[in-house]
Amino acid sequence: MTATEKKNEQSFEYQRTKKERVGDFLYETSRKLFWKNGKKTATNMSVKRGDQIFIIAMLILPIISWGVFWLYTNIQSIFMAFEHPTTGELSFINFKNVWNLITNPANTTYSLSISIINTLKYFGVMMLINTPVCLIIAYFFYKRIMCYKLFRIVFYLPAIISAIVYVTAFQEFINPIGPLGQIQRWFGITPDPVGLLAKNETATNTIMLYCIYTGMTTNVLLFSSGMARIPIEVLEAAKLDGVGPARELMQLIFPLIWPTFSTQMVFMLTGVFSSSGPILLFTNGAYDTSTISYWIFRQLYGSDGNGGGEGAYSLVACVGLCFTMLGVPLILLVRKIVERIDPIEY
């Protein structure tokens, strides 16, 4: 088949209606399940029916779990967003309250406007700093630099060791009387006795620095897996042509792992309004470090954070619905743009 005939066949397949393609798929599926040489056989039907029963039995539990803990919960949260916080009647007061919290923030430590700004900061750091750094680190691992196995373990440790242990170690390191303070004294700098986590100007940036390192685990692993599939002949040919490391990464490896990279970007966009750090472990939301996730926690569990809190479920449900309505079009737009870039097949 020539390239023109193949292109015409693909164009014809695309022009067919969705209903026709679904009908053909169901017909072919039923024919493969119940027909043999154009005739139904009792033995074949019995075997296939047994396979179907086995598949249904294996899937029934996860389907029930999904329906109860995801579908039912999310449907209830949508209805809850329109409930009056006191009377429970249908009302749009929650949307008005959310708008007032954003445009006229109360003079409190845990304001929603500050939480939104911090959340977008975390997302920007993860997208613009963490992702490129992970790509470069994965490239070094792929090139098998000296002690790359040791570095691979070091960068994956945050996924293994408890977050409490890492947060405690980081707090002790940046303590004015800790290693960071000692390094500052060596260079003639007097450490701030308050500490980086006890000031509005530096608390959020310090936690972001912590998140850059601890957020590398999954991305480095995914990018390394994508690079491992690249044919070695491509890189050998580039080396013979005198291609340097930077050009090799950006013009060869990056286009070849584009499907992995683009999929990861779409997944990251799904959490654009849930980006956060270990706020509860670091500052408990103080010093203007609150994020949307932590703000929701405070609304549900109150000021003490030990249960029995405010329980503003309708307001929280409304906030979640608002950010979902903002995030879904953004994700669909980015996905459509990403899909326009054809991946390189190899």
Side-chain angles (χ1 to χ4, degrees):
M1 182 182 294
T2 63
T4 304
E5 293 176 347
K6 186 176 181 180
K7 184 176 181 180
N8 293 335
E9 182 179 351
Q10 293 177 349
S11 177
F12 173 76
E13 181 67 21
Y14 179 78
Q15 292 175 0
R16 297 175 66 208
T17 63
K18 184 183 294 186
K19 184 176 181 181
E20 292 175 342
R21 283 181 284 175
V22 172
D24 291 346
F25 172 77
L26 294 176
Y27 171 76
E28 291 295 332
T29 302
S30 62
R31 186 176 64 83
K32 291 178 181 180
L33 290 175
F34 303 118
W35 289 70
K36 185 176 181 181
N37 298 327
K39 297 182 180 180
K40 291 183 178 180
T41 60
T43 304
N44 194 28
M45 291 182 63
S46 177
V47 172
K48 295 302 181 182
R49 188 177 295 110
D51 294 342
Q52 291 175 347
I53 294 174
F54 174 77
I55 294 173
I56 293 174
M58 293 295 294
L59 293 178
I60 189 67
L61 184 60
I63 290 175
I64 293 175
S65 176
W66 174 82
V68 173
F69 297 104
W70 189 91
L71 184 61
Y72 174 76
T73 303
N74 283 276
I75 291 176
Q76 286 293 103
S77 65
I78 293 175
F79 288 121
M80 193 177 296
F82 294 92
E83 291 182 359
H84 195 281
T86 55
T87 63
E89 298 177 353
L90 180 64
S91 174
F92 290 91
I93 190 173
N94 291 319
F95 294 89
K96 182 179 179 180
N97 292 337
V98 172
W99 179 254
N100 291 334
L101 287 172
I102 296 175
T103 56
N104 302 307
N107 188 20
T108 60
T109 305
Y110 313 101
S111 67
L112 182 57
S113 58
I114 293 177
S115 300
I116 295 174
I117 294 173
N118 288 339
T119 300
L120 295 178
K121 286 182 179 180
Y122 279 101
F123 177 76
V125 166
M126 297 301 292
M127 179 70 77
L128 302 177
I129 298 179
N130 184 273
T131 302
V133 171
C134 290
L135 183 63
I136 295 173
I137 293 175
Y139 173 71
F140 286 144
F141 290 165
Y142 175 69
K143 300 299 290 185
R144 298 178 181 271
I145 61 171
M146 183 180 299
C147 301
Y148 77 96
K149 292 184 179 180
L150 174 63
F151 287 118
R152 188 164 54 188
I153 296 174
V154 170
F155 280 105
Y156 199 72
L157 281 178
I160 303 174
I161 301 177
S162 172
I164 298 177
V165 176
Y166 256 99
V167 168
T168 304
F170 186 79
Q171 287 176 327
E172 293 299 325
F173 177 80
I174 65 174
N175 195 299
I177 61 175
L180 181 61
Q182 187 62 37
I183 293 174
Q184 289 177 316
R185 293 186 186 92
W186 287 346
F187 289 95
I189 302 174
T190 303
D192 191 340
V194 178
L196 297 175
L197 292 173
K199 296 174 63 177
N200 293 3
E201 297 81 6
T202 58
T204 299
N205 295 332
T206 303
I207 301 176
M208 287 181 184
L209 183 63
Y210 167 86
C211 292
I212 290 176
Y213 168 61
T214 57
M216 291 182 181
T217 55
T218 303
N219 286 341
V220 171
L221 185 63
L222 290 175
F223 294 154
S224 299
S225 300
M227 293 177 185
R229 297 178 56 249
I230 298 177
I232 191 64
E233 294 82 3
V234 176
L235 302 182
E236 290 178 349
K239 186 177 181 179
L240 292 176
D241 292 336
V243 176
R247 188 179 176 187
E248 181 184 62
L249 174 62
M250 298 308 300
Q251 296 186 2
L252 286 177
I253 293 180
F254 182 71
L256 290 174
I257 66 168
W258 172 252
T260 302
F261 184 84
S262 60
T263 302
Q264 184 64 11
M265 292 302 99
V266 174
F267 280 143
M268 289 183 64
L269 278 173
T270 59
V272 58
F273 294 115
S274 60
S275 300
S276 181
I279 309 300
L280 180 63
L281 298 177
F282 271 115
T283 61
N284 202 21
Y287 308 109
D288 290 342
T289 58
S290 177
T291 59
I292 296 177
S293 300
Y294 188 79
W295 182 87
I296 291 175
F297 169 79
R298 298 286 300 194
Q299 291 296 318
L300 294 179
Y301 292 97
S303 58
D304 56 0
N306 295 319
E310 300 169 16
Y313 295 103
S314 59
L315 180 63
V316 168
C318 183
V319 170
L321 181 60
C322 291
F323 288 130
T324 300
M325 290 188 295
L326 291 174
V328 169
L330 176 63
I331 296 170
L332 294 178
L333 175 62
V334 173
R335 180 184 175 186
K336 191 172 184 64
I337 294 174
V338 167
E339 289 178 348
R340 288 181 175 273
I341 303 176
D342 296 328
I344 299 176
E345 297 182 0
Y346 56 92

